[in-house]
């Protein structure tokens, strides 16, 4: 914010500090342990009166000096240079608070340099006692310099009281100071042995070589248990946040943790191997291997330590993006361009990409590279298909996973950053134009208002049934359409007929063999625990058959008809038609026939954020999208869904997540599926309108389904008018789960703010699929609406849903006359305008609800003057289109 | 664009600014002594190597043995002023470092190579002249490059009006080559090193002469000659250096302000004594004169920096939130540390000479 950012692409994300720092600590810790090694080995030489041991010690001192004084010391300065270049704000804080810690360390360095130079120069010439004093002085000062710097490294991870007091001593003697000091000291001793292997395996004289190699092995092996114990102590001393992060949550640290765990026994065994007699070449090779293993081993520890601090540079004080923790909210309000010194002041059309790059540099560059080895942002952002969804990912960061800070910029800045990532880096262009959709009109069926005896009304339960066409990976909605019909005998007092008739359904040609098109039947056992022949749905129904009468609801139902939107000739058609026929049971005479749409879509937009494209050009969840989604789920929930799928055993989401739509009990402790899926994704899509719904649901204006197609859509309403915005929608579900005592709700709710209610307490909790918007919230007393906001008033249960309700007479389903939900008459089907309006067109020659404009004759054969079905049913159509 | 808007906001300091200022000047002075000795002896050494005839004994035993030490202490005493510089001027030096980040960070690699080359040179004493020239030459070229990069950064840190170049060049590849003082500043520091290097060799020769080394007298004379001639040239680099600074800065030293002019004039006087004692080959008086000159020049340099930045910042602007106990501990440890170092040097002095 304060400083310019050194724009590093390949080397970004912390690569420079990782390389220089790991090299430095590997040598510097040796510089400490090795110091003790020198003086103790010299003492051993005197004690055993062994000139060869003394000669070895002198040679080892030369090696020691050349390595530590040059490479060791200068890389130490290198750390200083690097941190000031890539994290100047945090470095400034450390320097200004702990300057005397560094000044004290400097005095120790001075004494170290003088002592080791003299120690080497006078080896064998200085009187023994004095020479040993020099050796001891070197080690003492070396260890003291570790003491000093250990405090400063520790305060970055566990600042403890320093956060409140700013007191130097609170900072130095922070919660991990002592465990880290012990940990590092034991490591110093082990490294003395490890490096010692290099020089001791070079000794020409065999006996001496064996002796000294074994001696070095003691240095490596003896401290091991204490080293591991102090490692455990170190981990335990971490406060909850970092400890939980390292040990449980962060999937990117897991491999390093594994390496450290596995590296320990390998290193130990390597040390043991050095003890046994082996040819010199083998031992030399082993010595080199162990030394290389050692740097990887220590490097993995340092990587874990640094990684456990995410998203901070000084935990709880300053983020890696240089924003002080206390300033985060202020910066989010003002925006980064107004808060930083080294940026443009405003965003225009011309500079959007350039400003996006500046914002990237400040907010992202400290942890991400571009095209480099560390968290390459090009790879990570490749799956996002548009600026809109990239913005979603950005707005969700830091809310659910703690490794990133929340995005602290304005919406315009978020847009600039997303534009830089999607258009600048990925070179993606803006979204496609609307699809050209068409279908031939359905063949009409006869009806004579004068002579026909029956009216047959048919509709679909939901108006759009989605199915997950990703069965080899997972499923949460099977092919399972519900077709409903009511047969009405016409007359002055019409009768809804359920006895003495059989109703049948038959899908249009080309859709009879869904098993040829989807993998559902290959995995039906693994997913649904069921066994059904191809083309037979979960209820036993196929694509043609009988509808079952329900005397209570006075309707016929064919449930879970397994229609899929893929005709035999190819392509995608989400609105296949069904022909319904009513026949006399005894004579089999055809009483009435009509057609309806059995809407089914596989245009689930997971790929918009999860990448991978469509599996079938315009619809279908692809392998790429499915694998990405399962990978993310596995990462953050510690599941093994991807492995299961790859093993040929894909799982049903509702095998864990309860869900009323499938009557699934799941794991009762987990959030139900709608709460989980909306709750999670809402965190990424706050502040949006209905276009957010269309990222997943098949209603994208450039898509091939456009499922919201009834009269409400025509007059300009969208999903949010009834269901609320995504965060409101999610909160209503999560609140119910929270009330039910489920642990997972709070975390998802934490960053969601209601937009269509005055506060969280004003939102009414609801059970999905059963507590839904009620038409009468807007259409009070069935009148023209005063408001267009039906959010937060729910049906009391499933029986009160529009699709299950009847008129005031209790005979006719609301949907029989008014059409399927989401396709309320007059509907406009995106493929062929009147496709959804077949019934009204057949029976009254217009697309409106049955009996509209006082056309009671449709069923009653005569005019009526009482609004018996519901108040205002004798009103005239307001939303006409012809 | 007003460069003042770019200057980062500094953090608070835990003790009065003049305390850090004093430490900065003292440690930088020590750094200069070692750094000059290092660079100067490397340069003189290469000249000697180039002049050496085939069959001559290796000309630079004194340099070869001391170069790794002067490097070690130049670096160690460089770290200290870098620390205090960051405390007082961190918001300037970090910014300028970032602007030239690639070059600044490359110093680490260059220094490691230069340092190892110096050790190679030390170990190459018995090897052919070509090898010796290559190792020493490598070390020297690298050190000269490092010096150039340092000088670059120091000029950049005190000229915020140049900083907007970042907007065209955010990748750390900017060198402040258009700065009018850059070349003369660089030459002034390099030539100073030659002078100090020569004096350093004369001091080494002085001690060897006392031990009866026959070649020492010649080397003492040679060292003093380097010292004297380099000091003359130094005046020649110093004048353009001073007058290439902005008018509001350089006029301070030639009558514009009292302390500035006093220090500058005093340094001219001590320079005169350097020349006098150099010519007379009086090693210790020359050493005191040179030390005084360098110290006065450090003060002049610091005052010049303050003048450059006067309209933006002065260290007294920094907010002090005192925490005195760490300071006291540092002072105690410093005293103990220096005492131990002196003790160790005494132990070393008592050791009989290594037989060559």
């Amino acid at each position: 914010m304060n400083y310019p950012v050194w724009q590093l692409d390949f080397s970004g994300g912390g690569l420079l500090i990782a390389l220089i720092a790991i090299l430095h600590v590997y040598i510097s810790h040796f510089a400490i342990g090795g110091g003790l090694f020198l003086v103790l080995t010299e003492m051993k030489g005197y004690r055993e009166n062994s000139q060869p041991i003394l000669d070895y010690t002198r040679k080892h001192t030369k090696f020691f000096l050349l390595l530590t004084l040059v490479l060791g010391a200068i890389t130490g300065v290198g750390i200083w240079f690097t941190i000031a270049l890539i994290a100047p704000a945090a470095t400034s804080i450390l320097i200004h608070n702990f300057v005397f810690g560094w000044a004290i360390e400097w005095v120790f360095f001075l004494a170290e340099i003088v002592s080791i130079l003299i120690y080497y120069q006078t080896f064998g010439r200085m009187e023994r006692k004095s020479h040993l004093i020099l050796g001891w002085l070197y080690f003492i000062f070396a260890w003291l310099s570790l003491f000093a710097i250990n405090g400063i490294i520790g305060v970055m991870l566990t600042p403890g009281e320093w956060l409140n007091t700013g007191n130097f001593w609170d900072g130095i003697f922070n919660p991990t100071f002592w465990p880290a000091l012990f940990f590092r000291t034991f490591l110093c001793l082990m490294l003395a042995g490890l490096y010692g292997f290099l020089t001791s395996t070079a000794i020409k004289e065999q006996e001496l070589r064996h002796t000294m190699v074994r001696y070095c092995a003691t240095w490596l092996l003896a401290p091991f248990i204490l080293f591991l114990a102090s490692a455990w102590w170190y981990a335990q001393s971490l406060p909850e946040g970092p400890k939980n992060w390292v040990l449980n949550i962060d999937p990117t640290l897991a491999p390093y943790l594994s390496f450290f765990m596995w590296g320990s026994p390998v290193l130990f065994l390597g040390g043991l191997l050095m003890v046994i007699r082996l040819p010199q070449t083998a031992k030399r090779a082993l010595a080199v291997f162990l030394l290389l293993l050692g740097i990887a081993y220590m490097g993995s520890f340092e990587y874990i330590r640094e990684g456990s601090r995410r998203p901070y540079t000084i935990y709880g004080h300053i983020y890696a993006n240089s924003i002080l923790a206390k300033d985060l909210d202020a910066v989010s309000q003002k925006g980064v361009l107004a808060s930083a010194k080294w940026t443009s002041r405003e965003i225009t059309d011309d500079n959007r990409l350039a400003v996006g790059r500046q914002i990237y540099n400040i907010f992202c560059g400290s942890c991400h590279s571009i095209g480099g080895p560390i968290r390459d942002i090009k790879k990570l952002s490749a799956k996002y298909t548009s600026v809109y969804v990239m913005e979603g990912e950005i707005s969700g960061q830091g809310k659910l996973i703690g490794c990133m800070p929340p995005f602290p910029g304005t919406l315009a800045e978020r847009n600039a950053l997303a534009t830089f990532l999607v258009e600048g880096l990925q070179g993606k262009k803006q979204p496609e134009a609307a699809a050209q959709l068409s279908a031939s009109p359905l063949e009409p069926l006869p009806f004579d208002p004068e002579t026909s005896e029956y009216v047959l009304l048919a509709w679909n339960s939901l108006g759009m049934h989605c199915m997950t066409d990703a069965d080899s990976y997972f499923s949460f909605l099977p092919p399972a359409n519900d077709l409903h019909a009511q047969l009405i005998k016409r007359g002055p007092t019409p009768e809804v007929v359920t006895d003495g008739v059989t109703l049948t359904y038959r899908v249009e040609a080309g859709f009879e063999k869904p098993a040829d098109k989807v993998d559902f039947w290959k995995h039906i056992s693994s997913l649904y625990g069921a066994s059904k022949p191809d083309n037979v749905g979960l209820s036993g129904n196929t694509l043609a058959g009988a509808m079952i009468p329900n005397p209570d609801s006075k309707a016929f139902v064919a449930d879970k008809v397994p229609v899929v939107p893929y005709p035999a000739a190819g392509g995608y058609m989400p609105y296949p038609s069904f022909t319904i026929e009513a026949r006399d049971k005894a004579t089999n005479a055809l009483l009435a026939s009509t057609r309806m749409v059995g809407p089914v879509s596989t245009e689930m937009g997971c790929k918009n954020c999860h990448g991978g494209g469509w599996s079938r050009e315009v619809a279908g969840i692809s392998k790429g999208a499915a694998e990405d989604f399962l990978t993310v789920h596995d990462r953050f929930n510690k599941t093994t869904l991807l492995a299961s799928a790859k093993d040929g055993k894909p799982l049903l989401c509702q095998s864990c997540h309860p869900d009323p739509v499938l009557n699934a009990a799941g794991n009762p402790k987990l959030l139900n599926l709608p709460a989980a899926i909306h709750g999670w994704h809402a965190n990424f899509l706050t502040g949006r309108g209905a276009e957010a719904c269309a990222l997943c649901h098949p209603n994208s204006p450039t898509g091939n389904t456009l499922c919201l197609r009834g009269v409400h859509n025509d007059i300009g309403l969208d999903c949010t008018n009834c269901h609320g915005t995504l965060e409101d929608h999610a909160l209503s579900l999560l609140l119910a789960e929270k009330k039910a005592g489920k642990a997972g709700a709070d975390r998802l709710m934490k960053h969601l703010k209601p937009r269509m209610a005055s506060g969280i307490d004003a939102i009414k909790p609801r059970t999905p699929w059963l507590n839904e918007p009620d038409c009468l919230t807007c259409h009070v007393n069935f009148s023209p609406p005063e408001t267009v906001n039906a959010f937060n008033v729910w049906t009391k249960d499933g029986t009160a849903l529009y699709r299950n309700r009847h008129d005031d007479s209790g005979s006719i389903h609301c949907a029989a006359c008014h059409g399927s939900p989401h396709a309320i008459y007059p509907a406009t089907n995106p493929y062929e305008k009147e496709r959804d309006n077949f019934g009204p067109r057949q029976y009254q020659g217009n697309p409106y609800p049955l009996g509209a404009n006082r056309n009671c004759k449709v069923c009653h054969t005569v005019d009526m003057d009482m609004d018996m079905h519901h108040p205002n049913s004798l009103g005239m159509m307001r939303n006409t289109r012809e | 664009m007003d460069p003042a808007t770019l200057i980062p906001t500094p953090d608070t300091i835990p003790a009065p600014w003049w305390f850090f200022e004093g430490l900065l000047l003292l440690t930088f002075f020590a750094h200069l002594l070692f750094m000059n000795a290092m660079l100067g002896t490397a340069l003189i050494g290469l000249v000697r190597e180039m002049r050496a005839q085939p069959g001559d004994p290796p000309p630079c035993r004194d340099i070869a043995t001391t170069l790794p030490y002067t490097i070690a202490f130049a670096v160690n005493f460089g770290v200290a002023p870098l620390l205090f510089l960051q405390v007082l001027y961190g918001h300037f030096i970090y910014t300028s470092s970032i602007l030239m980040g690639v070059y600044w960070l490359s110093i680490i690699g260059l220094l490691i190579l230069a340092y190892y080359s110096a050790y190679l040179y030390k170990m190459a004493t018995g090897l052919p002249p070509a090898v010796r020239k290559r190792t020493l030459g490598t070390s020297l070229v690298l050190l000269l490059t490092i010096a150039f990069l340092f000088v670059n950064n120091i000029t950049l840190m005190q000229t915020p009006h140049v900083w907007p170049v970042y907007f065209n060049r955010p990748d750390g590849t900017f060198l402040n080559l258009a700065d009018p003082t850059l070349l003369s500043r660089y030459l002034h520091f390099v030539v100073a090193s030659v002078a100090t290097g020569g004096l350093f060799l004369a001091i080494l020769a002085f001690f060897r002469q006392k031990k009866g080394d026959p070649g020492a007298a010649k080397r003492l004379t040679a060292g003093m000659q380097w010292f004297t001639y380099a000091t003359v040239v130094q005046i020649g680099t110093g004048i353009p250096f001073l007058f290439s600074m902005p008018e509001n800065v350089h006029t301070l030293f030639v009558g514009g302000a009292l302390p500035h002019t006093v220090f500058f004039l005093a340094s001219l006087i001590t320079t005169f004594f350097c020349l006098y004692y150099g010519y007379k080959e009086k090693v210790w008086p020359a050493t005191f004169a040179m030390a005084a000159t360098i110290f006065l020049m450090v003060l002049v340099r610091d005052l010049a920096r303050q003048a450059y930045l006067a309209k933006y910042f002065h260290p007294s602007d920094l907010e002090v939130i005192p925490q005195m106990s760490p300071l006291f501990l540092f002072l105690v440890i410093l005293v103990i540390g220096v005492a131990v170092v002196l003790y160790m040097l005494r132990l070393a002095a008592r050791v009989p000479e290594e037989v060559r």
Side-chain angles (χ1 to χ4, degrees), chain A residues 5 92 96 106 125 166 168-169, chain B residues 11 69 76 87 166 170 323 325 352:
Chain A
V5 175
S92 179
H96 287 81
W106 174 81
R125 297 188 293 122
F168 178 90
W169 304 108
Chain B
D11 286 305
Y69 297 153
N76 185 254
V87 173
Y166 168 79
Q323 277 194 56
S325 58

Side-chain angles (χ1 to χ4, degrees), chain A residues 447-635:
Chain A
F447 175 74
D448 187 341
E450 302 302 321
T451 60
S452 294
E453 278 190 76
Y454 292 90
V455 164
L456 178 57
L457 303 174
W459 68 96
N460 168 263
S461 56
L462 296 175
M464 175 46 71
H465 179 79
C466 295
M467 52 169 279
T468 35
D469 180 15
D471 300 288
S472 55
Y473 287 100
F474 64 90
S475 177
F476 58 86
L477 287 174
N481 232 307
D482 296 332
L483 314 179
H484 297 260
Q486 281 190 303
L487 181 65
I488 298 167
K489 192 160 202 299
R490 295 176 78 212
T493 18
E495 186 200 328
V496 180
V497 178
T498 50
D499 293 325
V501 293
T502 48
L503 261 63
T504 56
Y505 67 95
R506 185 179 75 247
V507 77
E508 71 173 78
F511 288 84
E512 302 93 332
K513 296 221 176 91
D516 290 350
K517 292 287 179 181
V518 298
D519 288 340
F520 174 74
W521 281 272
K522 291 200 190 93
H523 302 285
I524 193 172
S525 156
S526 173
L527 293 169
Y528 290 91
S531 169
K532 290 276 183 271
D534 282 358
N535 305 316
V536 176
L538 289 167
S539 59
N541 280 331
T542 61
L543 278 302
M547 297 179 83
I548 314 290
N550 181 339
D552 294 326
S553 74
K554 297 202 176 146
F556 286 78
V557 179
D559 72 329
K560 303 198 181 65
V561 173
V563 63
V564 306
Y566 304 124
Y572 172 76
M573 169 30 106
Y575 301 109
S577 68
F578 284 78
T579 304
I580 315 292
E581 289 182 345
R583 289 176 184 277
D584 183 290
K585 200 181 237 172
T587 67
N588 210 35
L590 182 64
L591 301 174
S593 64
T594 188
R595 300 197 210 279
M596 63 172 282
V597 168
V600 58
S601 176
T602 54
E603 195 184 294
M604 286 194 182
C606 320
K607 64 109 177 141
N608 285 322
C609 300
H610 289 280
W614 295 116
S615 62
R616 300 178 202 256
E617 274 187 56
V618 297
I621 299 172
S622 65
K623 171 172 181 270
E627 289 192 352
D628 187 83
F629 150 62
L630 290 181
T631 303
V632 173
H633 190 287
D634 285 340
R635 247 172 67 164

